Amino acid sequence: MRAIKSRDTSIEIQVRRILWHAGYRYRLNVKALPGKPDIYLPKYRAVIQINGCLWHGHNCPQFVLPKTRTEFWRNKIKDNVRRDLKSVAALHDKGLRLLVIWECALQGKARLDNRYTYNLLNRWLSSTELLANIDKQGLSSTTLYEFKSQINPSLTES
């Protein structure tokens, strides 16, 4: 687990390449924004957050709680989810649009094609949607309440 990076992951680099080749310009990990988002596109007042399914508790087959020290990992991931929800609300309060891209959309057997991912990113950036996400089903507009429902139910149990 120690070898897993928090910045410049392969899926982040993949999304950045798609954006760059499409002509979008962005800033990385802007400290002045809540949650220090992965990608900030000032021209569009848009933020893209790329979340690993395990670390952010996505309700998909790629989320598998480690078998050792299960309680520790459950609490750690719950804290991550809490922090995510807080930063989503804070970004919304600042008037920024947010797109969350889940790892399962870009890796694994059911991953989306880069060309299709480009089309989804392009469609979202040209829209006025405030909160959306991309997972293996594609692009979907969401609300904060619906966003909470994407979290794995095992993390919401007491």
Side-chain angles (χ1 to χ4, degrees), residues 15-35:
V15 171
R16 291 180 351 209
R17 279 189 182 140
I18 291 170
L19 289 169
W20 188 265
H21 289 295
Y24 293 105
R25 297 304 175 248
Y26 51 82
R27 292 176 51 203
L28 300 176
N29 308 104
V30 179
K31 292 178 185 178
L33 294 176

Side-chain angles (χ1 to χ4, degrees), residues 106-153:
L106 302 174
Q107 288 187 336
K109 292 179 184 175
R111 73 176 169 262
L112 304 176
D113 180 57
N114 276 353
R115 170 71 86 205
Y116 184 61
T117 305
Y118 159 74
N119 290 335
L120 296 177
L121 287 166
N122 199 30
R123 183 170 20 146
W124 180 75
L125 284 168
S126 62
S127 75
T128 58
E129 294 177 43
L130 294 178
L131 181 58
N133 69 52
I134 295 177
D135 58 11
K136 58 188 169 196
Q137 277 82 36
L139 177 69
S140 59
S141 182
T142 186
T143 64
L144 190 56
Y145 177 76
E146 291 168 343
F147 184 75
K148 290 178 187 176
S149 70
Q150 294 177 7
I151 305 305
N152 193 292

